[in-house]
Each structure stands twice: as structure tokens, then as C-alpha cells.
Amino acid sequence: MRIGVPKEIKVHEYRVGLVPAGVRELTARGHTVLVETGAGVGIGIADADYRAAGAEIATDAEEVFAKAELIVKVKEPQAEERKRLRENLVLFTYLHLAPDAEQTRDLVAGGATCIAYETVTSPKGGLPLLAPMSEVAGRMSIQAGAHCLEKEKGGRGVLLGGVPGVDPAKVVILGGGVVGSNAALVALGMGAEVVVLDRDIDVLRILVNQFGTRLKTAFSTHAAIETHIVNADVVVGGVLVPGAAAPKLVTEAMVRAMAPGSVVVDVAIDQGGCFETSRPTTHAEPTYIVGGVIHYCVANMPGAVARSSTFALTNATLPFVAALADKGVKRALADDRHLASGLNVHRGQITCAGVAEALDYPFVEPEKALAA
């Protein structure tokens, strides 16, 4: 199979779909890998490194999309990339379609087969291709929150961990999954007072067993959220409904009740965000203010640590890329129901229930769409 790796073009996105080790693995299996020139330069990987691993170097993205049968990316295709999609092309990347009607419309019109990293499942019920970036984003959320708390950035001027005789900052984390647990790890390590809210008591038990009684937990209700965030210095939104739009857990009124200079970090922004006041931002302009509260809502947070993120992502995606290339898309999806969970769009049909519901499209079971 001919596998294409274009250079990412989203603002300040330096990650890349495959590293040279992944290229070497695929070419050893007899596949051709076409990498756009400069695709890895943002993380210190030169064209020569890809060539040494067996890749061919394309002069531009147009060549990659035209020649490839399988496109492996990181971020959702941007408008100019979506124009290059066609039938019989397989796109494997993060999509986050539920809050993105424009992208969904273009993917449906393009006729390509689009498999989303974020909805591929695992036998244990997890999201193995979302997990590595959720780990990164969860840890980064505390770094971002601590930075935004600084007075120079418009924050309250509070040190996250405090000092002897001075209280630490209060960090409230919505959701105790991968994002939440990694945010708690860093926040506790920095000495903050940390509260995690979740609707699953078993999740809260696991967190207490992991971190001990230093971590405070609360069952997530509207009242509990309101009680805890009113006096929070940093609130991290880490709630995810796979494939669907994130629930709006924090109202605008709650945000406006927070102290001026406090910070919200909405890691769920890729799926629409879990604060009513959230809107996507970029690494170029990461924050804005509503009601005196700083909002950090960067939609590709792990892109800021692009090298670490790229290697972590390739470790997770490579087995699935190899399966798609070795078997072809139909057999690979038929053989692995967990990979099939990642199928969001196939030849103009929406095959992810969460996306169909969020954007009011007819839902077609993946098996039926592929059979047709």
C-alpha cells in the first residue's frame, strides 16, 4: 500500500503522522511511504532521516494526497486539505467531528473513508489512540494554568504550590479519566490543593488509591461543580463522551462567579468544550477573558511539546496503520471491531453514532456502510 504523510498545516502544529522508526517498520512489510518534504522539521527530523528509513520524499502535499492510498496525519484536515480527499482514499487521523459541522460536511462530500483516532477503542474499553495525547494534555493543563495565574498574564498572582505560611492554589478538575488523572498527578506534585469531580464512584476510588488522601474527590453534580469552582484558582475541563460533543458542565454564570484572574483550561475543547464560555484558541493566541476569568482553550495543546507527542502518538497508532496497510481497509475493519469503532465517515455516510446525533445526520452502522 502507498502511505502518505503530509506536513501538518494547522497553526503552530509541528507534530507529524509517522516518525522514521514507523516508516522503517512499514517499508519492511513491503509498503511505500511518501513523506512531504519538511514534514518532520518542527521536531528535529530531517528529510534525510526519513530517506534513511526507506521513505520517498514528496515535493508538496498535493503530491502526497494524489499518490497515497492511506493518509496518516495528526490533526483534522484543514479546508485546503479536505479539497484533496476522494473516494478510495483512507484518512487516518484525529477528526473531532461532533462540534465541527463544516469539516463533517466536507468529509461527507469528499467520499473518502475517514477513521478517527479518538474513537478507536480497546478490549479494555479505553481509547488507546486518544490516551497518549490526553496524558500529555492533562499534564500540560496544569503548566498552562500555573502560567496563566501569573500577574503578568492577567492572573491572580498566585503561586500554584504556595510557600510555607501561604496557602497553595486550589485546582478543580472535572473528570477523573486520563486527562484528569494526569492533571492531578502534576498539580499534586507542584503542591496545589486538588479536587477531582466525576460521576463514577469507581473512578474516584481508583484516584484515591493512586494518590492517597492528599487528593480530594467529589461526586459530580451541578451543585458540587458550582460549589467547588467558585473558589477555585484553576479549573481543568477533562470530560469526554467518545465521538460526541462534550457536555457543558460549567455555565457562564458559574464562570462569572469565579474570582477575577482565576483560570479555566478546557482540554475538552476539541469536542466543543465543557464550559459555556469556551471557544477554540491557538498556540499563537492561547487565551481570552470572560467575566475576568482567563480562558485557555487551545485545541491542539500537545502540539506545544511536539516531539514528545509525536513519538508517543506513533507508538500507539503504528499497529493500526500496519493493519490497514497489510490487510486493506475493509478486511482490517472487519477483523478488528475496535478499529472499526474509529470509522466516522465512509463514502458520504456517517458511521459514528455520536457524530450523527450531534450534527443531525442519518447514522449508518459501519458494517452496513462497508458492505455497500
Side-chain angles (χ1 to χ4, degrees), residues 253-291:
M254 292 180 192
V255 170
R256 292 184 180 278
M258 295 172 66
S262 52
V263 180
V264 301
V265 181
D266 199 344
V267 183
I269 194 64
D270 274 324
Q271 294 295 126
C274 55
F275 298 80
E276 281 188 351
T277 49
S278 291
R279 57 177 172 80
T281 61
T282 67
H283 289 292
E285 297 182 27
T287 63
Y288 61 93
I289 295 174
V290 175

Side-chain angles (χ1 to χ4, degrees), residues 125-152:
L127 301 171
L129 305 189
L130 188 62
M133 295 304 94
S134 294
E135 290 170 345
V136 172
R139 296 180 184 211
M140 285 188 66
S141 68
I142 302 305
Q143 293 180 196
H147 189 52
C148 290
L149 274 179
E150 295 175 10
K151 195 65 180 178
E152 181 186 1

